PDB file of all heavy atoms in Angstrom:
ATOM      1  N   ILE A   7       0.833  -1.207   0.000  1.00  0.00           N
ATOM      2  CA  ILE A   7       0.000   0.000   0.000  1.00  0.00           C
ATOM      3  C   ILE A   7       0.864   1.251   0.000  1.00  0.00           C
ATOM      4  O   ILE A   7       0.539   2.256  -0.651  1.00  0.00           O
ATOM      5  CB  ILE A   7      -0.950  -0.010   1.219  1.00  0.00           C
ATOM      6  CG1 ILE A   7      -1.933  -1.177   1.103  1.00  0.00           C
ATOM      7  CG2 ILE A   7      -1.711   1.311   1.322  1.00  0.00           C
ATOM      8  CD1 ILE A   7      -2.811  -1.369   2.322  1.00  0.00           C
ATOM      9  N   ASN A   8       1.999   1.195   0.693  1.00  0.00           N
ATOM     10  CA  ASN A   8       2.893   2.352   0.772  1.00  0.00           C
ATOM     11  C   ASN A   8       3.862   2.445  -0.400  1.00  0.00           C
ATOM     12  O   ASN A   8       4.746   3.313  -0.409  1.00  0.00           O
ATOM     13  CB  ASN A   8       3.692   2.314   2.085  1.00  0.00           C
ATOM     14  CG  ASN A   8       2.855   2.747   3.284  1.00  0.00           C
ATOM     15  OD1 ASN A   8       1.844   3.434   3.125  1.00  0.00           O
ATOM     16  ND2 ASN A   8       3.264   2.343   4.470  1.00  0.00           N
ATOM     17  N   GLY A   9       3.687   1.557  -1.402  1.00  0.00           N
ATOM     18  CA  GLY A   9       4.568   1.606  -2.570  1.00  0.00           C
ATOM     19  C   GLY A   9       5.959   1.078  -2.302  1.00  0.00           C
ATOM     20  O   GLY A   9       6.922   1.468  -2.974  1.00  0.00           O
ATOM     21  N   LYS A  10       6.105   0.167  -1.323  1.00  0.00           N
ATOM     22  CA  LYS A  10       7.404  -0.408  -0.992  1.00  0.00           C
ATOM     23  C   LYS A  10       7.320  -1.926  -1.010  1.00  0.00           C
ATOM     24  O   LYS A  10       7.802  -2.619  -0.097  1.00  0.00           O
ATOM     25  CB  LYS A  10       7.873   0.077   0.385  1.00  0.00           C
ATOM     26  CG  LYS A  10       8.140   1.579   0.442  1.00  0.00           C
ATOM     27  CD  LYS A  10       8.782   1.988   1.751  1.00  0.00           C
ATOM     28  CE  LYS A  10       9.149   3.464   1.754  1.00  0.00           C
ATOM     29  NZ  LYS A  10       9.877   3.866   2.977  1.00  0.00           N
ATOM     30  N   ALA A  11       6.693  -2.450  -2.076  1.00  0.00           N
ATOM     31  CA  ALA A  11       6.485  -3.894  -2.178  1.00  0.00           C
ATOM     32  C   ALA A  11       7.798  -4.666  -2.171  1.00  0.00           C
ATOM     33  O   ALA A  11       7.909  -5.738  -1.563  1.00  0.00           O
ATOM     34  CB  ALA A  11       5.675  -4.216  -3.435  1.00  0.00           C
ATOM     35  N   GLU A  12       8.825  -4.152  -2.858  1.00  0.00           N
ATOM     36  CA  GLU A  12      10.106  -4.849  -2.920  1.00  0.00           C
ATOM     37  C   GLU A  12      10.748  -4.965  -1.543  1.00  0.00           C
ATOM     38  O   GLU A  12      11.296  -6.006  -1.178  1.00  0.00           O
ATOM     39  CB  GLU A  12      11.053  -4.129  -3.891  1.00  0.00           C
ATOM     40  CG  GLU A  12      10.626  -4.191  -5.349  1.00  0.00           C
ATOM     41  CD  GLU A  12      10.509  -5.629  -5.844  1.00  0.00           C
ATOM     42  OE1 GLU A  12      11.385  -6.458  -5.474  1.00  0.00           O
ATOM     43  OE2 GLU A  12       9.551  -5.929  -6.581  1.00  0.00           O
ATOM     44  N   GLU A  13      10.675  -3.869  -0.775  1.00  0.00           N
ATOM     45  CA  GLU A  13      11.224  -3.909   0.585  1.00  0.00           C
ATOM     46  C   GLU A  13      10.456  -4.923   1.440  1.00  0.00           C
ATOM     47  O   GLU A  13      11.049  -5.631   2.268  1.00  0.00           O
ATOM     48  CB  GLU A  13      11.169  -2.526   1.237  1.00  0.00           C
ATOM     49  CG  GLU A  13      12.144  -1.521   0.666  1.00  0.00           C
ATOM     50  CD  GLU A  13      11.595  -0.819  -0.576  1.00  0.00           C
ATOM     51  OE1 GLU A  13      10.616  -1.322  -1.163  1.00  0.00           O
ATOM     52  OE2 GLU A  13      12.151   0.230  -0.954  1.00  0.00           O
ATOM     53  N   GLY A  14       9.135  -4.996   1.209  1.00  0.00           N
ATOM     54  CA  GLY A  14       8.321  -5.940   1.969  1.00  0.00           C
ATOM     55  C   GLY A  14       8.667  -7.379   1.673  1.00  0.00           C
ATOM     56  O   GLY A  14       8.661  -8.236   2.569  1.00  0.00           O
ATOM     57  N   LYS A  15       8.991  -7.674   0.417  1.00  0.00           N
ATOM     58  CA  LYS A  15       9.328  -9.047   0.031  1.00  0.00           C
ATOM     59  C   LYS A  15      10.626  -9.510   0.676  1.00  0.00           C
ATOM     60  O   LYS A  15      10.853 -10.717   0.849  1.00  0.00           O
ATOM     61  CB  LYS A  15       9.439  -9.140  -1.485  1.00  0.00           C
ATOM     62  CG  LYS A  15       8.097  -9.005  -2.207  1.00  0.00           C
ATOM     63  CD  LYS A  15       8.286  -9.072  -3.710  1.00  0.00           C
ATOM     64  CE  LYS A  15       6.946  -8.897  -4.438  1.00  0.00           C
ATOM     65  NZ  LYS A  15       7.119  -8.921  -5.919  1.00  0.00           N
ATOM     66  N   LYS A  16      11.503  -8.579   1.002  1.00  0.00           N
ATOM     67  CA  LYS A  16      12.783  -8.936   1.612  1.00  0.00           C
ATOM     68  C   LYS A  16      12.645  -9.321   3.087  1.00  0.00           C
ATOM     69  O   LYS A  16      13.566  -9.889   3.673  1.00  0.00           O
ATOM     70  CB  LYS A  16      13.759  -7.774   1.478  1.00  0.00           C
ATOM     71  CG  LYS A  16      14.118  -7.441   0.029  1.00  0.00           C
ATOM     72  CD  LYS A  16      15.026  -6.220  -0.042  1.00  0.00           C
ATOM     73  CE  LYS A  16      15.335  -5.849  -1.487  1.00  0.00           C
ATOM     74  NZ  LYS A  16      16.190  -4.641  -1.588  1.00  0.00           N
ATOM     75  N   LEU A  17      11.483  -8.973   3.675  1.00  0.00           N
ATOM     76  CA  LEU A  17      11.275  -9.311   5.074  1.00  0.00           C
ATOM     77  C   LEU A  17      10.998 -10.805   5.219  1.00  0.00           C
ATOM     78  O   LEU A  17      10.474 -11.453   4.319  1.00  0.00           O
ATOM     79  CB  LEU A  17      10.093  -8.520   5.640  1.00  0.00           C
ATOM     80  CG  LEU A  17      10.271  -7.019   5.804  1.00  0.00           C
ATOM     81  CD1 LEU A  17       8.971  -6.397   6.303  1.00  0.00           C
ATOM     82  CD2 LEU A  17      11.402  -6.701   6.772  1.00  0.00           C
ATOM     83  N   SER A  18      11.340 -11.320   6.375  1.00  0.00           N
ATOM     84  CA  SER A  18      11.044 -12.715   6.699  1.00  0.00           C
ATOM     85  C   SER A  18      10.767 -12.801   8.198  1.00  0.00           C
ATOM     86  O   SER A  18      11.052 -11.858   8.948  1.00  0.00           O
ATOM     87  CB  SER A  18      12.220 -13.619   6.328  1.00  0.00           C
ATOM     88  OG  SER A  18      13.348 -13.300   7.133  1.00  0.00           O
ATOM     89  N   GLU A  19      10.226 -13.938   8.612  1.00  0.00           N
ATOM     90  CA  GLU A  19       9.963 -14.119  10.033  1.00  0.00           C
ATOM     91  C   GLU A  19      11.259 -14.053  10.832  1.00  0.00           C
ATOM     92  O   GLU A  19      11.296 -13.536  11.946  1.00  0.00           O
ATOM     93  CB  GLU A  19       9.267 -15.454  10.268  1.00  0.00           C
ATOM     94  CG  GLU A  19       7.841 -15.513   9.729  1.00  0.00           C
ATOM     95  CD  GLU A  19       7.149 -16.820  10.071  1.00  0.00           C
ATOM     96  OE1 GLU A  19       7.147 -17.166  11.271  1.00  0.00           O
ATOM     97  OE2 GLU A  19       6.647 -17.485   9.155  1.00  0.00           O
ATOM     98  N   LYS A  20      12.338 -14.558  10.235  1.00  0.00           N
ATOM     99  CA  LYS A  20      13.622 -14.517  10.923  1.00  0.00           C
ATOM    100  C   LYS A  20      14.079 -13.082  11.152  1.00  0.00           C
ATOM    101  O   LYS A  20      14.611 -12.748  12.218  1.00  0.00           O
ATOM    102  CB  LYS A  20      14.654 -15.284  10.096  1.00  0.00           C
ATOM    103  CG  LYS A  20      16.019 -15.399  10.768  1.00  0.00           C
ATOM    104  CD  LYS A  20      16.968 -16.227   9.929  1.00  0.00           C
ATOM    105  CE  LYS A  20      18.337 -16.338  10.605  1.00  0.00           C
ATOM    106  NZ  LYS A  20      19.283 -17.152   9.805  1.00  0.00           N
ATOM    107  N   VAL A  21      13.857 -12.216  10.145  1.00  0.00           N
ATOM    108  CA  VAL A  21      14.228 -10.812  10.278  1.00  0.00           C
ATOM    109  C   VAL A  21      13.413 -10.142  11.382  1.00  0.00           C
ATOM    110  O   VAL A  21      13.947  -9.387  12.213  1.00  0.00           O
ATOM    111  CB  VAL A  21      14.031 -10.073   8.937  1.00  0.00           C
ATOM    112  CG1 VAL A  21      14.200  -8.563   9.122  1.00  0.00           C
ATOM    113  CG2 VAL A  21      15.002 -10.589   7.890  1.00  0.00           C
ATOM    114  N   LEU A  22      12.107 -10.432  11.400  1.00  0.00           N
ATOM    115  CA  LEU A  22      11.241  -9.826  12.422  1.00  0.00           C
ATOM    116  C   LEU A  22      11.678 -10.238  13.817  1.00  0.00           C
ATOM    117  O   LEU A  22      11.774  -9.409  14.730  1.00  0.00           O
ATOM    118  CB  LEU A  22       9.784 -10.244  12.186  1.00  0.00           C
ATOM    119  CG  LEU A  22       9.132  -9.814  10.877  1.00  0.00           C
ATOM    120  CD1 LEU A  22       7.668 -10.240  10.856  1.00  0.00           C
ATOM    121  CD2 LEU A  22       9.241  -8.310  10.664  1.00  0.00           C
ATOM    122  N   VAL A  23      11.946 -11.517  13.980  1.00  0.00           N
ATOM    123  CA  VAL A  23      12.346 -12.019  15.299  1.00  0.00           C
ATOM    124  C   VAL A  23      13.686 -11.433  15.718  1.00  0.00           C
ATOM    125  O   VAL A  23      13.893 -11.065  16.881  1.00  0.00           O
ATOM    126  CB  VAL A  23      12.394 -13.554  15.290  1.00  0.00           C
ATOM    127  CG1 VAL A  23      12.985 -14.083  16.598  1.00  0.00           C
ATOM    128  CG2 VAL A  23      11.005 -14.132  15.072  1.00  0.00           C
ATOM    129  N   SER A  24      14.613 -11.305  14.756  1.00  0.00           N
ATOM    130  CA  SER A  24      15.929 -10.761  15.086  1.00  0.00           C
ATOM    131  C   SER A  24      15.849  -9.306  15.513  1.00  0.00           C
ATOM    132  O   SER A  24      16.606  -8.847  16.375  1.00  0.00           O
ATOM    133  CB  SER A  24      16.866 -10.898  13.893  1.00  0.00           C
ATOM    134  OG  SER A  24      16.430 -10.090  12.809  1.00  0.00           O
ATOM    135  N   HIS A  25      14.926  -8.545  14.897  1.00  0.00           N
ATOM    136  CA  HIS A  25      14.768  -7.136  15.266  1.00  0.00           C
ATOM    137  C   HIS A  25      14.164  -6.970  16.661  1.00  0.00           C
ATOM    138  O   HIS A  25      14.356  -5.939  17.302  1.00  0.00           O
ATOM    139  CB  HIS A  25      13.879  -6.413  14.245  1.00  0.00           C
ATOM    140  CG  HIS A  25      14.639  -5.903  13.052  1.00  0.00           C
ATOM    141  ND1 HIS A  25      15.156  -6.727  12.100  1.00  0.00           N
ATOM    142  CD2 HIS A  25      14.973  -4.637  12.678  1.00  0.00           C
ATOM    143  CE1 HIS A  25      15.772  -6.011  11.170  1.00  0.00           C
ATOM    144  NE2 HIS A  25      15.680  -4.740  11.500  1.00  0.00           N
ATOM    145  N   MET A  26      13.411  -7.953  17.121  1.00  0.00           N
ATOM    146  CA  MET A  26      12.719  -7.822  18.400  1.00  0.00           C
ATOM    147  C   MET A  26      13.155  -8.907  19.374  1.00  0.00           C
ATOM    148  O   MET A  26      12.371  -9.353  20.202  1.00  0.00           O
ATOM    149  CB  MET A  26      11.202  -7.862  18.181  1.00  0.00           C
ATOM    150  CG  MET A  26      10.688  -6.738  17.296  1.00  0.00           C
ATOM    151  SD  MET A  26       8.895  -6.642  17.236  1.00  0.00           S
ATOM    152  CE  MET A  26       8.496  -6.164  18.905  1.00  0.00           C
ATOM    153  N   GLN A  27      14.421  -9.329  19.269  1.00  0.00           N
ATOM    154  CA  GLN A  27      14.898 -10.423  20.101  1.00  0.00           C
ATOM    155  C   GLN A  27      14.804 -10.109  21.589  1.00  0.00           C
ATOM    156  O   GLN A  27      14.341 -10.918  22.388  1.00  0.00           O
ATOM    157  CB  GLN A  27      16.342 -10.751  19.732  1.00  0.00           C
ATOM    158  CG  GLN A  27      16.838 -12.069  20.329  1.00  0.00           C
ATOM    159  CD  GLN A  27      16.008 -13.254  19.875  1.00  0.00           C
ATOM    160  OE1 GLN A  27      15.769 -13.424  18.698  1.00  0.00           O
ATOM    161  NE2 GLN A  27      15.555 -14.052  20.826  1.00  0.00           N
ATOM    162  N   SER A  28      15.241  -8.903  21.954  1.00  0.00           N
ATOM    163  CA  SER A  28      15.217  -8.550  23.381  1.00  0.00           C
ATOM    164  C   SER A  28      13.791  -8.440  23.899  1.00  0.00           C
ATOM    165  O   SER A  28      13.501  -8.843  25.029  1.00  0.00           O
ATOM    166  CB  SER A  28      15.950  -7.223  23.606  1.00  0.00           C
ATOM    167  OG  SER A  28      15.319  -6.171  22.898  1.00  0.00           O
ATOM    168  N   GLU A  29      12.892  -7.918  23.059  1.00  0.00           N
ATOM    169  CA  GLU A  29      11.506  -7.790  23.468  1.00  0.00           C
ATOM    170  C   GLU A  29      10.847  -9.161  23.624  1.00  0.00           C
ATOM    171  O   GLU A  29      10.111  -9.412  24.568  1.00  0.00           O
ATOM    172  CB  GLU A  29      10.712  -6.948  22.458  1.00  0.00           C
ATOM    173  CG  GLU A  29      11.117  -5.482  22.409  1.00  0.00           C
ATOM    174  CD  GLU A  29      12.245  -5.254  21.407  1.00  0.00           C
ATOM    175  OE1 GLU A  29      12.955  -6.233  21.088  1.00  0.00           O
ATOM    176  OE2 GLU A  29      12.415  -4.103  20.965  1.00  0.00           O
ATOM    177  N   LEU A  30      11.148 -10.065  22.671  1.00  0.00           N
ATOM    178  CA  LEU A  30      10.554 -11.390  22.734  1.00  0.00           C
ATOM    179  C   LEU A  30      11.050 -12.177  23.930  1.00  0.00           C
ATOM    180  O   LEU A  30      10.293 -12.932  24.549  1.00  0.00           O
ATOM    181  CB  LEU A  30      10.862 -12.153  21.438  1.00  0.00           C
ATOM    182  CG  LEU A  30      10.131 -11.661  20.188  1.00  0.00           C
ATOM    183  CD1 LEU A  30      10.713 -12.307  18.948  1.00  0.00           C
ATOM    184  CD2 LEU A  30       8.648 -11.955  20.291  1.00  0.00           C
ATOM    185  N   SER A  31      12.306 -12.000  24.274  1.00  0.00           N
ATOM    186  CA  SER A  31      12.849 -12.724  25.422  1.00  0.00           C
ATOM    187  C   SER A  31      12.208 -12.273  26.728  1.00  0.00           C
ATOM    188  O   SER A  31      12.168 -13.015  27.698  1.00  0.00           O
ATOM    189  CB  SER A  31      14.364 -12.538  25.498  1.00  0.00           C
ATOM    190  OG  SER A  31      14.686 -11.166  25.702  1.00  0.00           O
ATOM    191  N   SER A  32      11.693 -11.034  26.728  1.00  0.00           N
ATOM    192  CA  SER A  32      11.097 -10.494  27.959  1.00  0.00           C
ATOM    193  C   SER A  32       9.671 -10.948  28.178  1.00  0.00           C
ATOM    194  O   SER A  32       9.127 -10.755  29.260  1.00  0.00           O
ATOM    195  CB  SER A  32      11.134  -8.965  27.932  1.00  0.00           C
ATOM    196  OG  SER A  32      10.203  -8.479  26.985  1.00  0.00           O
ATOM    197  N   VAL A  33       9.034 -11.543  27.157  1.00  0.00           N
ATOM    198  CA  VAL A  33       7.625 -11.939  27.302  1.00  0.00           C
ATOM    199  C   VAL A  33       7.480 -13.442  27.480  1.00  0.00           C
ATOM    200  O   VAL A  33       6.407 -13.988  27.275  1.00  0.00           O
ATOM    201  CB  VAL A  33       6.804 -11.467  26.083  1.00  0.00           C
ATOM    202  CG1 VAL A  33       6.776  -9.970  26.027  1.00  0.00           C
ATOM    203  CG2 VAL A  33       7.343 -12.058  24.779  1.00  0.00           C
ATOM    204  N   LYS A  34       8.580 -14.115  27.822  1.00  0.00           N
ATOM    205  CA  LYS A  34       8.468 -15.543  28.073  1.00  0.00           C
ATOM    206  C   LYS A  34       7.633 -15.804  29.316  1.00  0.00           C
ATOM    207  O   LYS A  34       6.999 -16.840  29.453  1.00  0.00           O
ATOM    208  CB  LYS A  34       9.867 -16.147  28.226  1.00  0.00           C
ATOM    209  CG  LYS A  34      10.647 -16.146  26.907  1.00  0.00           C
ATOM    210  CD  LYS A  34      12.016 -16.775  27.083  1.00  0.00           C
ATOM    211  CE  LYS A  34      12.769 -16.791  25.752  1.00  0.00           C
ATOM    212  NZ  LYS A  34      14.128 -17.363  25.887  1.00  0.00           N
ATOM    213  N   ARG A  35       7.659 -14.874  30.231  1.00  0.00           N
ATOM    214  CA  ARG A  35       6.781 -15.007  31.395  1.00  0.00           C
ATOM    215  C   ARG A  35       5.512 -14.199  31.175  1.00  0.00           C
ATOM    216  O   ARG A  35       5.496 -13.233  30.424  1.00  0.00           O
ATOM    217  CB  ARG A  35       7.495 -14.508  32.657  1.00  0.00           C
ATOM    218  CG  ARG A  35       7.756 -13.018  32.693  1.00  0.00           C
ATOM    219  CD  ARG A  35       8.436 -12.626  33.997  1.00  0.00           C
ATOM    220  NE  ARG A  35       8.653 -11.210  34.089  1.00  0.00           N
ATOM    221  CZ  ARG A  35       7.750 -10.342  34.553  1.00  0.00           C
ATOM    222  NH1 ARG A  35       6.567 -10.768  34.943  1.00  0.00           N
ATOM    223  NH2 ARG A  35       8.036  -9.052  34.624  1.00  0.00           N
ATOM    224  N   ALA A  36       4.446 -14.615  31.825  1.00  0.00           N
ATOM    225  CA  ALA A  36       3.161 -13.933  31.671  1.00  0.00           C
ATOM    226  C   ALA A  36       3.196 -12.599  32.386  1.00  0.00           C
ATOM    227  O   ALA A  36       3.863 -12.429  33.412  1.00  0.00           O
ATOM    228  CB  ALA A  36       2.043 -14.812  32.233  1.00  0.00           C
ATOM    229  N   HIS A  37       2.481 -11.643  31.816  1.00  0.00           N
ATOM    230  CA  HIS A  37       2.380 -10.324  32.433  1.00  0.00           C
ATOM    231  C   HIS A  37       0.966 -10.120  32.970  1.00  0.00           C
ATOM    232  O   HIS A  37      -0.001 -10.679  32.452  1.00  0.00           O
ATOM    233  CB  HIS A  37       2.717  -9.225  31.427  1.00  0.00           C
ATOM    234  CG  HIS A  37       4.167  -9.190  31.060  1.00  0.00           C
ATOM    235  ND1 HIS A  37       5.115  -8.562  31.824  1.00  0.00           N
ATOM    236  CD2 HIS A  37       4.834  -9.720  30.000  1.00  0.00           C
ATOM    237  CE1 HIS A  37       6.304  -8.681  31.268  1.00  0.00           C
ATOM    238  NE2 HIS A  37       6.159  -9.388  30.151  1.00  0.00           N
ATOM    239  N   SER A  38       0.858  -9.311  33.997  1.00  0.00           N
ATOM    240  CA  SER A  38      -0.436  -9.015  34.604  1.00  0.00           C
ATOM    241  C   SER A  38      -0.476  -7.536  34.971  1.00  0.00           C
ATOM    242  O   SER A  38       0.557  -6.859  34.978  1.00  0.00           O
ATOM    243  CB  SER A  38      -0.629  -9.863  35.861  1.00  0.00           C
ATOM    244  OG  SER A  38       0.189  -9.388  36.924  1.00  0.00           O
ATOM    245  N   PRO A  39      -1.674  -7.029  35.289  1.00  0.00           N
ATOM    246  CA  PRO A  39      -1.764  -5.621  35.699  1.00  0.00           C
ATOM    247  C   PRO A  39      -0.899  -5.275  36.911  1.00  0.00           C
ATOM    248  O   PRO A  39      -0.572  -4.112  37.121  1.00  0.00           O
ATOM    249  CB  PRO A  39      -3.254  -5.457  36.017  1.00  0.00           C
ATOM    250  CG  PRO A  39      -3.940  -6.458  35.131  1.00  0.00           C
ATOM    251  CD  PRO A  39      -3.006  -7.639  35.104  1.00  0.00           C
ATOM    252  N   LEU A  40      -0.511  -6.289  37.707  1.00  0.00           N
ATOM    253  CA  LEU A  40       0.358  -6.018  38.864  1.00  0.00           C
ATOM    254  C   LEU A  40       1.720  -5.499  38.428  1.00  0.00           C
ATOM    255  O   LEU A  40       2.407  -4.825  39.205  1.00  0.00           O
ATOM    256  CB  LEU A  40       0.526  -7.290  39.698  1.00  0.00           C
ATOM    257  CG  LEU A  40      -0.694  -7.750  40.501  1.00  0.00           C
ATOM    258  CD1 LEU A  40      -0.393  -9.047  41.221  1.00  0.00           C
ATOM    259  CD2 LEU A  40      -1.119  -6.674  41.495  1.00  0.00           C
ATOM    260  N   ASP A  41       2.116  -5.800  37.186  1.00  0.00           N
ATOM    261  CA  ASP A  41       3.397  -5.295  36.694  1.00  0.00           C
ATOM    262  C   ASP A  41       3.412  -3.775  36.588  1.00  0.00           C
ATOM    263  O   ASP A  41       4.478  -3.168  36.477  1.00  0.00           O
ATOM    264  CB  ASP A  41       3.701  -5.904  35.321  1.00  0.00           C
ATOM    265  CG  ASP A  41       4.041  -7.376  35.412  1.00  0.00           C
ATOM    266  OD1 ASP A  41       4.760  -7.747  36.358  1.00  0.00           O
ATOM    267  OD2 ASP A  41       3.578  -8.152  34.559  1.00  0.00           O
ATOM    268  N   LEU A  42       2.240  -3.160  36.619  1.00  0.00           N
ATOM    269  CA  LEU A  42       2.159  -1.701  36.545  1.00  0.00           C
ATOM    270  C   LEU A  42       2.717  -1.038  37.802  1.00  0.00           C
ATOM    271  O   LEU A  42       3.083   0.139  37.770  1.00  0.00           O
ATOM    272  CB  LEU A  42       0.715  -1.252  36.321  1.00  0.00           C
ATOM    273  CG  LEU A  42       0.095  -1.626  34.971  1.00  0.00           C
ATOM    274  CD1 LEU A  42      -1.408  -1.369  34.986  1.00  0.00           C
ATOM    275  CD2 LEU A  42       0.752  -0.835  33.845  1.00  0.00           C
ATOM    276  N   VAL A  43       2.768  -1.768  38.903  1.00  0.00           N
ATOM    277  CA  VAL A  43       3.252  -1.181  40.168  1.00  0.00           C
ATOM    278  C   VAL A  43       4.332  -2.036  40.812  1.00  0.00           C
ATOM    279  O   VAL A  43       4.756  -1.752  41.933  1.00  0.00           O
ATOM    280  CB  VAL A  43       2.079  -0.988  41.165  1.00  0.00           C
ATOM    281  CG1 VAL A  43       1.109   0.059  40.655  1.00  0.00           C
ATOM    282  CG2 VAL A  43       1.345  -2.305  41.420  1.00  0.00           C
ATOM    283  N   ARG A  44       4.808  -3.073  40.117  1.00  0.00           N
ATOM    284  CA  ARG A  44       5.769  -3.993  40.732  1.00  0.00           C
ATOM    285  C   ARG A  44       7.155  -3.370  40.886  1.00  0.00           C
ATOM    286  O   ARG A  44       7.872  -3.625  41.853  1.00  0.00           O
ATOM    287  CB  ARG A  44       5.863  -5.273  39.906  1.00  0.00           C
ATOM    288  CG  ARG A  44       6.444  -6.452  40.676  1.00  0.00           C
ATOM    289  CD  ARG A  44       6.617  -7.647  39.753  1.00  0.00           C
ATOM    290  NE  ARG A  44       5.391  -8.031  39.108  1.00  0.00           N
ATOM    291  CZ  ARG A  44       4.472  -8.832  39.629  1.00  0.00           C
ATOM    292  NH1 ARG A  44       4.663  -9.332  40.844  1.00  0.00           N
ATOM    293  NH2 ARG A  44       3.380  -9.143  38.971  1.00  0.00           N
TER     294      ARG A  44
END
């Protein structure tokens, strides 16, 4: 839609995971509203 189809085709699940590795590692445990004040 944004006219960047070629850039989109270069993406892969591996690329997405690599970009958010630190974030993904932090959600291995469940989160709850208590984390708002923990």
